Amino acid sequence: MTESVQVNNQTFTMHCSGALFWEEKSTLIVSDIHFGKISHFRKHGAAVPQKAIQKNFMLLEAIVAQFKPKSIYFLGDLFHSSMNTEWNLFEDWVAKTTAKLVLVAGNHDIISPLKYEALNIEVIQEIVTQGFLFTHHPEERKGLFNFAGHIHPAIRLKGSGRQILKLACFYKSDHQMILPAFGEFTGTFSLQPTKEHEVFVITKDEIFKIDIASSVI
């Protein structure tokens, strides 16, 4: 269910949910939840089950209970668009959470920062600390290792026959890690890794590093 990597002598534990836990700082890092997207699509006639709305909150609660973080970094696109009924569920979740909450604003985060500040959630453009750069869009900045989201990374794997499987993944290079989207109903974008990348694919219950040369198409 988890896999750990060392970056700058710090331990980061990847979870099959798409969350990442920074062990030394007791910080949970989550990207692209897109709260409100399901309600937005339902409002416009999409046949998405109502119960799907609760899945994001239930999963987030489970991850927080497992890691018990002191801080949570949301790497953008916390909400999909303007406020809807899911904001009330988010307020309820925040009220039960003791961790310090920080939102690194993404392109979908159009809700007023004042709404977040009222919930004691800090809204900023980036975080730079201990040689790490936390952003929404992937960036390259000399001397810093970048953690980002936005892309919703996935890769296409080939099976023993002609099977093709597309799985979300953590996508890592020597200077960057792109996190998978945490939320349900978010979609993915296939990437083509090179030998310079490490790819950790996620399923419902597992996370595992794949052999790029023999598995990716």
Side-chain angles (χ1 to χ4, degrees), residues 4 44 72 76 124 134 142 160 166 173 180 183 203-204 214:
S4 295
H44 290 84
I72 301 175
I124 54 181
F134 297 89
K142 186 176 181 180
S160 56
K166 184 180 181 183
S173 68
T203 66
K204 182 179 179 181
S214 63

Side-chain angles (χ1 to χ4, degrees), residues 2-15 19-29 67 73 129-134 145-147 170 172 177 179 200 207:
T2 63
E3 184 79 23
S4 295
V5 293
Q6 290 285 315
V7 182
N8 295 351
N9 296 317
Q10 299 287 291
T11 304
F12 292 87
T13 298
M14 299 168 285
H15 189 272
L20 181 70
F21 187 64
W22 185 358
E23 300 282 353
E24 288 81 0
K25 297 290 287 186
S26 186
T27 297
L28 187 68
I29 306 160
F67 289 105
Y73 294 167
T129 180
Q130 293 187 222
F132 299 114
L133 170 65
F134 297 89
F145 186 95
N146 177 224
F147 291 96
F170 290 87
K172 182 181 177 296
M177 176 182 280
L179 276 66
F200 300 85
I207 176 169

Side-chain angles (χ1 to χ4, degrees), residues 201-215:
V201 299
I202 59 177
T203 66
K204 182 179 179 181
D205 301 307
E206 293 183 275
I207 176 169
F208 52 92
K209 185 177 180 179
I210 58 107
D211 182 347
I212 294 173
S214 63
S215 302

